[in-house]
Amino acid sequence: MAAYRLWVFILSAAGLAGQISDQPSQLDANAGLQTEDNDPGLPRVLCRMALFAQYGADVPGAEKLVRHGLALSARNNTLETADGAACLTTLAGVLEWQGQRKQAQQELEHALAIRERLLGPNHMLVADTLNRLGLAHFYQGRLAEAEQLHQRAVEILRMQAPSADLAA
């Protein structure tokens, strides 16, 4: 039953992705989703749906969803929040899948700055973002920077209880 609900949600996300304009400049109140765009929870939902679309191999749909969520967050002045950082991280994942590593790195750097400011420098989500940012540097051939980021993440994770994240 839980698997059924998940697939219904994924299929809904895929259908919603088709309602979003391909042109970023058209993501306004007159285009894209036919919903209440001023709903403060909508950007978070769109970004979570983008994850499902991404992992369902609909990367173009995921990009549409996450960019619409970010546009709404920016318009509602909620980009600099924990949800905004999560949405930026989702966009980074989409960009990584598309091979746009430099742009992904920039989104991760923005998400890291938000998370450090909101959650403090020793939070698990900061460590997770540092790991992802380290991988972005690694894939671009910047090994020294990647090592520094991963080392900082390990230091944060060592402060926590032993976990699979630390082992990884």
Side-chain angles (χ1 to χ4, degrees), residues 36-166:
E36 290 295 322
D37 280 354
N38 60 356
D39 180 348
L42 184 58
R44 176 183 17 189
V45 171
L46 289 171
C47 291
R48 288 182 181 171
M49 289 172 67
L51 278 174
F52 286 109
Q54 178 185 4
Y55 293 126
D58 181 10
V59 178
E63 183 176 11
K64 288 179 192 177
L65 287 164
V66 73
R67 287 195 184 276
H68 190 67
L70 286 168
L72 292 176
S73 291
R75 190 175 74 200
N76 297 338
N77 293 320
T78 58
L79 186 58
E80 300 294 316
T81 64
D83 287 337
C87 204
L88 289 167
T89 302
T90 300
L91 177 58
V94 168
L95 293 170
E96 287 168 349
W97 280 40
Q98 295 174 334
Q100 300 178 38
R101 301 203 187 278
K102 181 65 177 168
Q103 294 87 345
Q105 174 193 331
Q106 293 169 348
E107 302 303 335
L108 288 169
E109 288 170 349
H110 190 179
L112 177 64
I114 293 169
R115 287 177 168 166
E116 285 179 320
R117 188 181 74 252
L118 294 177
L119 305 171
N122 298 320
H123 194 275
M124 293 286 291
L125 287 175
V126 170
D128 178 67
T129 309
L130 287 166
N131 273 328
R132 294 194 58 186
L133 190 53
L135 286 173
H137 281 277
F138 174 80
Y139 290 127
Q140 294 177 66
R142 294 194 305 273
L143 302 181
E145 293 93 338
E147 183 179 7
Q148 289 175 343
L149 292 163
H150 286 298
Q151 183 58 42
R152 185 164 163 227
V154 167
E155 290 170 10
I156 294 169
L157 292 170
R158 283 190 174 144
M159 291 183 226
Q160 317 297 322
S163 68
D165 290 327
L166 178 58

